[in-house]
Amino acid sequence: MVVIKTKDDLARMRVSNRLAARVRDEVASWIRPGVTTREIGTHAADLIRRAGGECAFLGYRGFPGTICVSVNDEVVHGIPGPRRVEIGDIVSLDIGVLIDGFYGDTATTVMVGVTDPDWIRLVRVTQMALQAGVEKAVCGNRVSDISHAVQSMVEKAGFTVVRDFVGHGIGRELHEDPQIPNYGKPGKGGLLRSGMTLAIEPMVNMGKAAVKVMEDGWTVRTRDRKPSAHFEHTVAISSAGPEILTV
Ligand code: MG
């Protein structure tokens, strides 16, 4: 069931998502070669808690980390741990917060120092694909118009979209309807209506689309061990166009 948010709900969604965005940006600019993914998670958790929020992913279906930190061939759901990030790595941060009853959700991929030109292109294309998806998040479009815009941008660049994980509605629940795949023909699925809040999140692989879950039960990585990037915004649909809440 799709939940349409009231004015008051949207005001609270702005607060939770603005916090998620601030933590995303502060952590992204703080990352240095040599820091562990655990230190990255701890830093994010400190920022979230100091602002009065909770780490939304901690304990979610048993997830053990405060945020998700996924390095290089890890796609999503990486658990912060002892791994040190190095120059040339790309590090995807997925930040979820809960504050005042509403969730915020956003992701970015950080390049640590100078990285390979192809990897830079992967990161940039993923970011552009998110933007292309957001631009389709308007009243009267259908869910798969977002999906199609993301897929087209990614495949034109010679990369692939991950099919096993999808974007989602968000609000009082971290994952609400509808699901938003990053692939599909346009004009399908539910109608986008004012008051819907959606987390749009392309996950893009340099090589093949296939992924697998590692033995820790969480970390998703590419089967071909080629790198993957992830960007995510939470967006409110309104008659004035898409409002990106995670800014
Ligand atoms: Mg999400």
Side-chain angles (χ1 to χ4, degrees), residues 70-101:
S70 309
V71 182
N72 297 344
D73 60 351
E74 296 170 355
V75 179
V76 286
H77 303 164
I79 303 169
R83 179 176 186 166
R84 289 184 189 282
V85 304
E86 296 171 19
I87 290 173
D89 283 348
I90 57 172
V91 181
S92 296
L93 307 172
D94 196 346
I95 314 271
V97 308
L98 174 63
I99 187 164
D100 197 17

PDB file of all heavy atoms in Angstrom, residues 70-101:
ATOM      1  N   SER A  70      30.357   0.096   1.640  1.00  0.00           N
ATOM      2  CA  SER A  70      30.620  -0.948   0.642  1.00  0.00           C
ATOM      3  C   SER A  70      31.766  -0.474  -0.258  1.00  0.00           C
ATOM      4  O   SER A  70      31.652   0.574  -0.889  1.00  0.00           O
ATOM      5  CB  SER A  70      29.363  -1.224  -0.179  1.00  0.00           C
ATOM      6  OG  SER A  70      28.250  -1.457   0.688  1.00  0.00           O
ATOM      7  N   VAL A  71      32.853  -1.239  -0.299  1.00  0.00           N
ATOM      8  CA  VAL A  71      34.088  -0.816  -0.962  1.00  0.00           C
ATOM      9  C   VAL A  71      34.277  -1.559  -2.290  1.00  0.00           C
ATOM     10  O   VAL A  71      34.180  -2.789  -2.334  1.00  0.00           O
ATOM     11  CB  VAL A  71      35.306  -1.074  -0.040  1.00  0.00           C
ATOM     12  CG1 VAL A  71      36.594  -0.583  -0.695  1.00  0.00           C
ATOM     13  CG2 VAL A  71      35.113  -0.406   1.321  1.00  0.00           C
ATOM     14  N   ASN A  72      34.545  -0.819  -3.350  1.00  0.00           N
ATOM     15  CA  ASN A  72      34.947  -1.360  -4.659  1.00  0.00           C
ATOM     16  C   ASN A  72      33.926  -2.350  -5.232  1.00  0.00           C
ATOM     17  O   ASN A  72      32.883  -1.937  -5.707  1.00  0.00           O
ATOM     18  CB  ASN A  72      36.344  -1.974  -4.572  1.00  0.00           C
ATOM     19  CG  ASN A  72      37.401  -0.925  -4.228  1.00  0.00           C
ATOM     20  OD1 ASN A  72      37.146   0.271  -4.353  1.00  0.00           O
ATOM     21  ND2 ASN A  72      38.562  -1.363  -3.789  1.00  0.00           N
ATOM     22  N   ASP A  73      34.237  -3.659  -5.184  1.00  0.00           N
ATOM     23  CA  ASP A  73      33.316  -4.635  -5.788  1.00  0.00           C
ATOM     24  C   ASP A  73      32.137  -4.956  -4.874  1.00  0.00           C
ATOM     25  O   ASP A  73      31.260  -5.738  -5.256  1.00  0.00           O
ATOM     26  CB  ASP A  73      34.053  -5.919  -6.184  1.00  0.00           C
ATOM     27  CG  ASP A  73      34.707  -6.611  -5.006  1.00  0.00           C
ATOM     28  OD1 ASP A  73      34.748  -6.030  -3.902  1.00  0.00           O
ATOM     29  OD2 ASP A  73      35.187  -7.746  -5.197  1.00  0.00           O
ATOM     30  N   GLU A  74      32.117  -4.352  -3.689  1.00  0.00           N
ATOM     31  CA  GLU A  74      30.939  -4.493  -2.834  1.00  0.00           C
ATOM     32  C   GLU A  74      29.882  -3.495  -3.322  1.00  0.00           C
ATOM     33  O   GLU A  74      30.177  -2.332  -3.570  1.00  0.00           O
ATOM     34  CB  GLU A  74      31.309  -4.231  -1.376  1.00  0.00           C
ATOM     35  CG  GLU A  74      32.289  -5.272  -0.839  1.00  0.00           C
ATOM     36  CD  GLU A  74      32.869  -4.939   0.520  1.00  0.00           C
ATOM     37  OE1 GLU A  74      32.604  -3.834   1.050  1.00  0.00           O
ATOM     38  OE2 GLU A  74      33.625  -5.784   1.040  1.00  0.00           O
ATOM     39  N   VAL A  75      28.663  -3.998  -3.477  1.00  0.00           N
ATOM     40  CA  VAL A  75      27.604  -3.202  -4.112  1.00  0.00           C
ATOM     41  C   VAL A  75      26.838  -2.402  -3.055  1.00  0.00           C
ATOM     42  O   VAL A  75      26.752  -1.176  -3.129  1.00  0.00           O
ATOM     43  CB  VAL A  75      26.641  -4.127  -4.888  1.00  0.00           C
ATOM     44  CG1 VAL A  75      25.522  -3.329  -5.545  1.00  0.00           C
ATOM     45  CG2 VAL A  75      27.415  -4.944  -5.926  1.00  0.00           C
ATOM     46  N   VAL A  76      26.282  -3.113  -2.095  1.00  0.00           N
ATOM     47  CA  VAL A  76      25.523  -2.500  -0.994  1.00  0.00           C
ATOM     48  C   VAL A  76      25.628  -3.389   0.239  1.00  0.00           C
ATOM     49  O   VAL A  76      26.123  -4.517   0.164  1.00  0.00           O
ATOM     50  CB  VAL A  76      24.009  -2.326  -1.343  1.00  0.00           C
ATOM     51  CG1 VAL A  76      23.789  -1.189  -2.322  1.00  0.00           C
ATOM     52  CG2 VAL A  76      23.407  -3.626  -1.861  1.00  0.00           C
ATOM     53  N   HIS A  77      25.143  -2.857   1.376  1.00  0.00           N
ATOM     54  CA  HIS A  77      24.973  -3.605   2.628  1.00  0.00           C
ATOM     55  C   HIS A  77      26.288  -4.072   3.247  1.00  0.00           C
ATOM     56  O   HIS A  77      26.305  -5.037   4.020  1.00  0.00           O
ATOM     57  CB  HIS A  77      24.019  -4.810   2.443  1.00  0.00           C
ATOM     58  CG  HIS A  77      22.682  -4.422   1.923  1.00  0.00           C
ATOM     59  ND1 HIS A  77      21.786  -5.307   1.380  1.00  0.00           N
ATOM     60  CD2 HIS A  77      22.070  -3.201   1.843  1.00  0.00           C
ATOM     61  CE1 HIS A  77      20.687  -4.664   0.992  1.00  0.00           C
ATOM     62  NE2 HIS A  77      20.843  -3.384   1.255  1.00  0.00           N
ATOM     63  N   GLY A  78      27.398  -3.383   2.911  1.00  0.00           N
ATOM     64  CA  GLY A  78      28.666  -3.699   3.564  1.00  0.00           C
ATOM     65  C   GLY A  78      28.596  -3.353   5.052  1.00  0.00           C
ATOM     66  O   GLY A  78      28.068  -2.307   5.433  1.00  0.00           O
ATOM     67  N   ILE A  79      29.129  -4.241   5.889  1.00  0.00           N
ATOM     68  CA  ILE A  79      29.115  -4.035   7.347  1.00  0.00           C
ATOM     69  C   ILE A  79      30.419  -3.348   7.743  1.00  0.00           C
ATOM     70  O   ILE A  79      31.494  -3.840   7.406  1.00  0.00           O
ATOM     71  CB  ILE A  79      29.012  -5.389   8.083  1.00  0.00           C
ATOM     72  CG1 ILE A  79      27.760  -6.159   7.636  1.00  0.00           C
ATOM     73  CG2 ILE A  79      29.021  -5.173   9.593  1.00  0.00           C
ATOM     74  CD1 ILE A  79      27.742  -7.616   8.116  1.00  0.00           C
ATOM     75  N   PRO A  80      30.356  -2.212   8.439  1.00  0.00           N
ATOM     76  CA  PRO A  80      31.595  -1.574   8.893  1.00  0.00           C
ATOM     77  C   PRO A  80      32.451  -2.551   9.702  1.00  0.00           C
ATOM     78  O   PRO A  80      31.921  -3.296  10.530  1.00  0.00           O
ATOM     79  CB  PRO A  80      31.089  -0.414   9.761  1.00  0.00           C
ATOM     80  CG  PRO A  80      29.738  -0.090   9.206  1.00  0.00           C
ATOM     81  CD  PRO A  80      29.164  -1.423   8.796  1.00  0.00           C
ATOM     82  N   GLY A  81      33.757  -2.541   9.435  1.00  0.00           N
ATOM     83  CA  GLY A  81      34.644  -3.503  10.089  1.00  0.00           C
ATOM     84  C   GLY A  81      36.089  -3.047  10.024  1.00  0.00           C
ATOM     85  O   GLY A  81      36.373  -1.853   9.863  1.00  0.00           O
ATOM     86  N   PRO A  82      37.024  -3.969  10.123  1.00  0.00           N
ATOM     87  CA  PRO A  82      38.444  -3.609  10.231  1.00  0.00           C
ATOM     88  C   PRO A  82      39.119  -3.206   8.915  1.00  0.00           C
ATOM     89  O   PRO A  82      40.264  -2.745   8.938  1.00  0.00           O
ATOM     90  CB  PRO A  82      39.078  -4.889  10.785  1.00  0.00           C
ATOM     91  CG  PRO A  82      38.166  -5.989  10.365  1.00  0.00           C
ATOM     92  CD  PRO A  82      36.784  -5.406  10.343  1.00  0.00           C
ATOM     93  N   ARG A  83      38.436  -3.345   7.795  1.00  0.00           N
ATOM     94  CA  ARG A  83      39.077  -3.014   6.521  1.00  0.00           C
ATOM     95  C   ARG A  83      39.461  -1.537   6.454  1.00  0.00           C
ATOM     96  O   ARG A  83      38.666  -0.663   6.769  1.00  0.00           O
ATOM     97  CB  ARG A  83      38.111  -3.326   5.377  1.00  0.00           C
ATOM     98  CG  ARG A  83      38.669  -3.009   3.999  1.00  0.00           C
ATOM     99  CD  ARG A  83      37.697  -3.425   2.916  1.00  0.00           C
ATOM    100  NE  ARG A  83      38.255  -3.255   1.583  1.00  0.00           N
ATOM    101  CZ  ARG A  83      37.724  -3.793   0.488  1.00  0.00           C
ATOM    102  NH1 ARG A  83      36.625  -4.526   0.585  1.00  0.00           N
ATOM    103  NH2 ARG A  83      38.274  -3.605  -0.690  1.00  0.00           N
ATOM    104  N   ARG A  84      40.709  -1.287   6.001  1.00  0.00           N
ATOM    105  CA  ARG A  84      41.166   0.089   5.813  1.00  0.00           C
ATOM    106  C   ARG A  84      40.960   0.489   4.359  1.00  0.00           C
ATOM    107  O   ARG A  84      41.320  -0.266   3.456  1.00  0.00           O
ATOM    108  CB  ARG A  84      42.652   0.225   6.170  1.00  0.00           C
ATOM    109  CG  ARG A  84      42.911   0.117   7.640  1.00  0.00           C
ATOM    110  CD  ARG A  84      44.362   0.333   8.024  1.00  0.00           C
ATOM    111  NE  ARG A  84      44.536  -0.017   9.439  1.00  0.00           N
ATOM    112  CZ  ARG A  84      44.185   0.768  10.460  1.00  0.00           C
ATOM    113  NH1 ARG A  84      43.684   1.969  10.207  1.00  0.00           N
ATOM    114  NH2 ARG A  84      44.335   0.376  11.709  1.00  0.00           N
ATOM    115  N   VAL A  85      40.405   1.681   4.145  1.00  0.00           N
ATOM    116  CA  VAL A  85      40.243   2.130   2.765  1.00  0.00           C
ATOM    117  C   VAL A  85      41.564   2.692   2.273  1.00  0.00           C
ATOM    118  O   VAL A  85      42.344   3.258   3.045  1.00  0.00           O
ATOM    119  CB  VAL A  85      39.090   3.163   2.610  1.00  0.00           C
ATOM    120  CG1 VAL A  85      37.792   2.595   3.139  1.00  0.00           C
ATOM    121  CG2 VAL A  85      39.412   4.473   3.292  1.00  0.00           C
ATOM    122  N   GLU A  86      41.820   2.495   0.986  1.00  0.00           N
ATOM    123  CA  GLU A  86      43.095   2.885   0.400  1.00  0.00           C
ATOM    124  C   GLU A  86      42.876   3.885  -0.731  1.00  0.00           C
ATOM    125  O   GLU A  86      41.780   3.962  -1.299  1.00  0.00           O
ATOM    126  CB  GLU A  86      43.797   1.644  -0.176  1.00  0.00           C
ATOM    127  CG  GLU A  86      44.161   0.614   0.869  1.00  0.00           C
ATOM    128  CD  GLU A  86      44.647  -0.685   0.240  1.00  0.00           C
ATOM    129  OE1 GLU A  86      45.045  -0.667  -0.951  1.00  0.00           O
ATOM    130  OE2 GLU A  86      44.606  -1.713   0.940  1.00  0.00           O
ATOM    131  N   ILE A  87      43.963   4.571  -1.088  1.00  0.00           N
ATOM    132  CA  ILE A  87      43.918   5.467  -2.241  1.00  0.00           C
ATOM    133  C   ILE A  87      43.483   4.660  -3.463  1.00  0.00           C
ATOM    134  O   ILE A  87      43.981   3.554  -3.690  1.00  0.00           O
ATOM    135  CB  ILE A  87      45.296   6.113  -2.488  1.00  0.00           C
ATOM    136  CG1 ILE A  87      45.606   7.106  -1.372  1.00  0.00           C
ATOM    137  CG2 ILE A  87      45.348   6.816  -3.841  1.00  0.00           C
ATOM    138  CD1 ILE A  87      47.002   7.682  -1.404  1.00  0.00           C
ATOM    139  N   GLY A  88      42.549   5.203  -4.211  1.00  0.00           N
ATOM    140  CA  GLY A  88      42.056   4.509  -5.400  1.00  0.00           C
ATOM    141  C   GLY A  88      40.776   3.741  -5.167  1.00  0.00           C
ATOM    142  O   GLY A  88      40.099   3.351  -6.119  1.00  0.00           O
ATOM    143  N   ASP A  89      40.416   3.522  -3.887  1.00  0.00           N
ATOM    144  CA  ASP A  89      39.159   2.818  -3.592  1.00  0.00           C
ATOM    145  C   ASP A  89      37.960   3.714  -3.897  1.00  0.00           C
ATOM    146  O   ASP A  89      38.057   4.948  -3.831  1.00  0.00           O
ATOM    147  CB  ASP A  89      39.078   2.448  -2.098  1.00  0.00           C
ATOM    148  CG  ASP A  89      39.940   1.246  -1.729  1.00  0.00           C
ATOM    149  OD1 ASP A  89      40.428   0.562  -2.652  1.00  0.00           O
ATOM    150  OD2 ASP A  89      40.110   1.001  -0.517  1.00  0.00           O
ATOM    151  N   ILE A  90      36.838   3.084  -4.201  1.00  0.00           N
ATOM    152  CA  ILE A  90      35.560   3.812  -4.175  1.00  0.00           C
ATOM    153  C   ILE A  90      34.726   3.204  -3.043  1.00  0.00           C
ATOM    154  O   ILE A  90      34.624   1.986  -2.916  1.00  0.00           O
ATOM    155  CB  ILE A  90      34.816   3.798  -5.530  1.00  0.00           C
ATOM    156  CG1 ILE A  90      34.536   2.386  -6.042  1.00  0.00           C
ATOM    157  CG2 ILE A  90      35.605   4.598  -6.576  1.00  0.00           C
ATOM    158  CD1 ILE A  90      33.627   2.359  -7.283  1.00  0.00           C
ATOM    159  N   VAL A  91      34.178   4.096  -2.227  1.00  0.00           N
ATOM    160  CA  VAL A  91      33.502   3.687  -0.999  1.00  0.00           C
ATOM    161  C   VAL A  91      32.059   4.187  -1.037  1.00  0.00           C
ATOM    162  O   VAL A  91      31.814   5.397  -1.038  1.00  0.00           O
ATOM    163  CB  VAL A  91      34.222   4.279   0.230  1.00  0.00           C
ATOM    164  CG1 VAL A  91      33.538   3.828   1.513  1.00  0.00           C
ATOM    165  CG2 VAL A  91      35.696   3.886   0.238  1.00  0.00           C
ATOM    166  N   SER A  92      31.128   3.250  -1.078  1.00  0.00           N
ATOM    167  CA  SER A  92      29.714   3.636  -1.071  1.00  0.00           C
ATOM    168  C   SER A  92      29.221   3.710   0.373  1.00  0.00           C
ATOM    169  O   SER A  92      29.393   2.769   1.144  1.00  0.00           O
ATOM    170  CB  SER A  92      28.876   2.624  -1.851  1.00  0.00           C
ATOM    171  OG  SER A  92      29.261   2.626  -3.209  1.00  0.00           O
ATOM    172  N   LEU A  93      28.633   4.853   0.704  1.00  0.00           N
ATOM    173  CA  LEU A  93      28.056   5.081   2.032  1.00  0.00           C
ATOM    174  C   LEU A  93      26.552   5.111   1.882  1.00  0.00           C
ATOM    175  O   LEU A  93      26.029   5.882   1.069  1.00  0.00           O
ATOM    176  CB  LEU A  93      28.486   6.445   2.583  1.00  0.00           C
ATOM    177  CG  LEU A  93      29.972   6.767   2.619  1.00  0.00           C
ATOM    178  CD1 LEU A  93      30.175   8.224   3.017  1.00  0.00           C
ATOM    179  CD2 LEU A  93      30.671   5.839   3.611  1.00  0.00           C
ATOM    180  N   ASP A  94      25.846   4.279   2.634  1.00  0.00           N
ATOM    181  CA  ASP A  94      24.384   4.320   2.642  1.00  0.00           C
ATOM    182  C   ASP A  94      23.982   4.676   4.066  1.00  0.00           C
ATOM    183  O   ASP A  94      24.299   3.954   5.008  1.00  0.00           O
ATOM    184  CB  ASP A  94      23.819   2.966   2.204  1.00  0.00           C
ATOM    185  CG  ASP A  94      22.346   3.052   1.821  1.00  0.00           C
ATOM    186  OD1 ASP A  94      21.696   4.069   2.138  1.00  0.00           O
ATOM    187  OD2 ASP A  94      21.852   2.083   1.213  1.00  0.00           O
ATOM    188  N   ILE A  95      23.303   5.824   4.199  1.00  0.00           N
ATOM    189  CA  ILE A  95      22.998   6.386   5.510  1.00  0.00           C
ATOM    190  C   ILE A  95      21.484   6.361   5.716  1.00  0.00           C
ATOM    191  O   ILE A  95      20.745   6.946   4.917  1.00  0.00           O
ATOM    192  CB  ILE A  95      23.445   7.870   5.576  1.00  0.00           C
ATOM    193  CG1 ILE A  95      24.854   8.066   5.016  1.00  0.00           C
ATOM    194  CG2 ILE A  95      23.250   8.440   6.991  1.00  0.00           C
ATOM    195  CD1 ILE A  95      25.983   7.927   5.940  1.00  0.00           C
ATOM    196  N   GLY A  96      21.054   5.728   6.788  1.00  0.00           N
ATOM    197  CA  GLY A  96      19.632   5.742   7.143  1.00  0.00           C
ATOM    198  C   GLY A  96      19.456   6.320   8.535  1.00  0.00           C
ATOM    199  O   GLY A  96      20.193   5.935   9.450  1.00  0.00           O
ATOM    200  N   VAL A  97      18.535   7.252   8.676  1.00  0.00           N
ATOM    201  CA  VAL A  97      18.287   7.818   9.998  1.00  0.00           C
ATOM    202  C   VAL A  97      16.788   7.758  10.304  1.00  0.00           C
ATOM    203  O   VAL A  97      15.941   7.756   9.400  1.00  0.00           O
ATOM    204  CB  VAL A  97      18.761   9.285  10.123  1.00  0.00           C
ATOM    205  CG1 VAL A  97      20.209   9.436   9.681  1.00  0.00           C
ATOM    206  CG2 VAL A  97      17.882  10.244   9.348  1.00  0.00           C
ATOM    207  N   LEU A  98      16.492   7.710  11.598  1.00  0.00           N
ATOM    208  CA  LEU A  98      15.111   7.808  12.075  1.00  0.00           C
ATOM    209  C   LEU A  98      15.063   8.949  13.079  1.00  0.00           C
ATOM    210  O   LEU A  98      15.860   8.971  14.024  1.00  0.00           O
ATOM    211  CB  LEU A  98      14.695   6.497  12.752  1.00  0.00           C
ATOM    212  CG  LEU A  98      13.315   6.509  13.434  1.00  0.00           C
ATOM    213  CD1 LEU A  98      12.199   6.740  12.424  1.00  0.00           C
ATOM    214  CD2 LEU A  98      13.082   5.187  14.176  1.00  0.00           C
ATOM    215  N   ILE A  99      14.189   9.907  12.824  1.00  0.00           N
ATOM    216  CA  ILE A  99      14.033  11.003  13.781  1.00  0.00           C
ATOM    217  C   ILE A  99      12.574  11.450  13.754  1.00  0.00           C
ATOM    218  O   ILE A  99      11.985  11.567  12.670  1.00  0.00           O
ATOM    219  CB  ILE A  99      15.036  12.156  13.478  1.00  0.00           C
ATOM    220  CG1 ILE A  99      14.994  13.236  14.566  1.00  0.00           C
ATOM    221  CG2 ILE A  99      14.851  12.783  12.123  1.00  0.00           C
ATOM    222  CD1 ILE A  99      16.201  14.179  14.534  1.00  0.00           C
ATOM    223  N   ASP A 100      11.990  11.599  14.933  1.00  0.00           N
ATOM    224  CA  ASP A 100      10.613  12.060  15.070  1.00  0.00           C
ATOM    225  C   ASP A 100       9.626  11.203  14.261  1.00  0.00           C
ATOM    226  O   ASP A 100       8.689  11.719  13.650  1.00  0.00           O
ATOM    227  CB  ASP A 100      10.543  13.540  14.625  1.00  0.00           C
ATOM    228  CG  ASP A 100       9.283  14.238  15.116  1.00  0.00           C
ATOM    229  OD1 ASP A 100       8.631  13.715  16.044  1.00  0.00           O
ATOM    230  OD2 ASP A 100       8.939  15.298  14.560  1.00  0.00           O
ATOM    231  N   GLY A 101       9.902   9.900  14.227  1.00  0.00           N
ATOM    232  CA  GLY A 101       8.946   8.969  13.624  1.00  0.00           C
ATOM    233  C   GLY A 101       9.078   8.757  12.127  1.00  0.00           C
ATOM    234  O   GLY A 101       8.336   7.976  11.541  1.00  0.00           O
TER     235      GLY A 101
END
